[in-house]
Amino acid sequence: DIGMTQSPDSLAASLGERATISCKSSQSLFSSSNNQDFLAWYQQKPGQSPKLLIYWASTRESGVPDRFSGSGSGTDFTLTISSLQAEDVAIYYCQQYFNSPLTFGGGTKLEIK
Amino acid sequence: QVQLVESGGGVVQPGKSLRLSCGASGFIFSDYAVHWVRQAPGKGLEWVTFISYDGSTKHYKDSVKGRFTISRDNSKKAVYLQMSSLRPEDTAVYFCARGRGSGSFLIDYWGQGAFVTVSS
């Protein structure tokens, strides 16, 4: 199984600040078949189901604000929120969809300072 | 719009069985793969199982192999998760989720979830 490790476990930032979440995989998620990394980011707000934010490590899902961006390749990935808004309070998960079993990171809880 | 609605959750004793259903609307159901993902109380997300668009390919998490069975009925736009020999550690919210494409592992839409509590 591919292990997914997120850091930090929790993060508090001020409104308008940049927030950065790291995700590391135990093996490369890059596929030469399509030159893409099989890495997605999800946002789960309290009491809600998860929502897809980013896929192929850096492609923003339709309708997701452009303050959310994904970067990285291979085994090291980052989700960045450029200017934190109150509605961004949530738990963020990375997930590999390179192979089965699909695996998620442990989640990063983002709060407003 | 894409909608996935889970049903069938509840309280069940250890060792018993339960079947979850997931009804879909807002897209051509027979063109898409489906996953089940669970979330234990206060915990993170855990992928459980996958079925391809036509039901020909299925994958399971090791800890549920032999106990859980995923199936689908494209004529009814529904996916089912038959859970047997349930254990307390299976207690969770079970989300039905759509795969982006016929055999895609990428999950793009999620249902609201069904609570399953395994307790005596």
Side-chain angles (χ1 to χ4, degrees), chain B residues 45-66:
Chain B
L45 300 169
E46 181 181 58
W47 174 83
V48 176
T49 182
F50 160 95
I51 188 166
S52 61
Y53 72 107
D54 60 355
S56 63
T57 301
K58 301 175 185 179
H59 294 276
Y60 296 93
K61 179 179 175 62
D62 278 352
S63 63
V64 308
K65 278 180 186 174

Side-chain angles (χ1 to χ4, degrees), chain B residues 10-100:
Chain B
V11 180
V12 61
Q13 292 180 330
K16 300 295 187 181
S17 298
L18 196 66
R19 189 178 87 153
L20 301 181
S21 299
C22 171
S25 61
F27 63 101
I28 302 174
F29 181 71
S30 58
D31 285 351
Y32 289 84
V34 175
H35 301 256
W36 287 95
V37 178
R38 67 186 180 185
Q39 187 169 36
K43 302 297 184 183
L45 300 169
E46 181 181 58
W47 174 83
V48 176
T49 182
F50 160 95
I51 188 166
S52 61
Y53 72 107
D54 60 355
S56 63
T57 301
K58 301 175 185 179
H59 294 276
Y60 296 93
K61 179 179 175 62
D62 278 352
S63 63
V64 308
K65 278 180 186 174
R67 299 190 301 123
F68 289 14
T69 302
I70 190 171
S71 61
R72 66 189 295 158
D73 185 336
N74 285 345
S75 68
K76 296 182 178 179
K77 299 182 183 179
V79 170
Y80 308 100
L81 182 63
Q82 178 68 46
M83 304 182 291
S84 60
S85 302
L86 281 161
R87 305 167 180 169
E89 56 264 35
D90 295 319
T91 294
V93 174
Y94 284 74
F95 295 102
C96 171
R98 192 183 80 165
R100 176 158 287 179

Side-chain angles (χ1 to χ4, degrees), chain A residues 13-32:
Chain A
S14 301
L15 292 174
E17 267 193 344
R18 176 185 297 259
T20 301
I21 299 170
S22 171
C23 175
K24 296 183 187 296
S25 58
S26 62
Q27 66 185 72
S28 177
L29 303 183
F30 181 80
S31 174
S32 56

Side-chain angles (χ1 to χ4, degrees), chain A residues 42 44 49-50 61 93 102, chain B residues 39 59 100 105 107 110-112:
Chain A
Y42 297 90
Q44 187 177 31
S49 55
E61 174 70 339
Y93 296 93
L102 281 65
Chain B
Q39 187 169 36
H59 294 276
R100 176 158 287 179
F105 283 169
I107 293 172
W110 302 63
Q112 287 305 301

Side-chain angles (χ1 to χ4, degrees), chain A residues 43-62:
Chain A
Q43 175 194 62
Q44 187 177 31
K45 294 183 178 180
Q48 297 185 16
S49 55
K51 172 188 172 184
L52 176 64
L53 294 177
I54 302 284
Y55 58 98
W56 298 133
S58 60
T59 300
R60 200 178 304 114
E61 174 70 339
S62 175

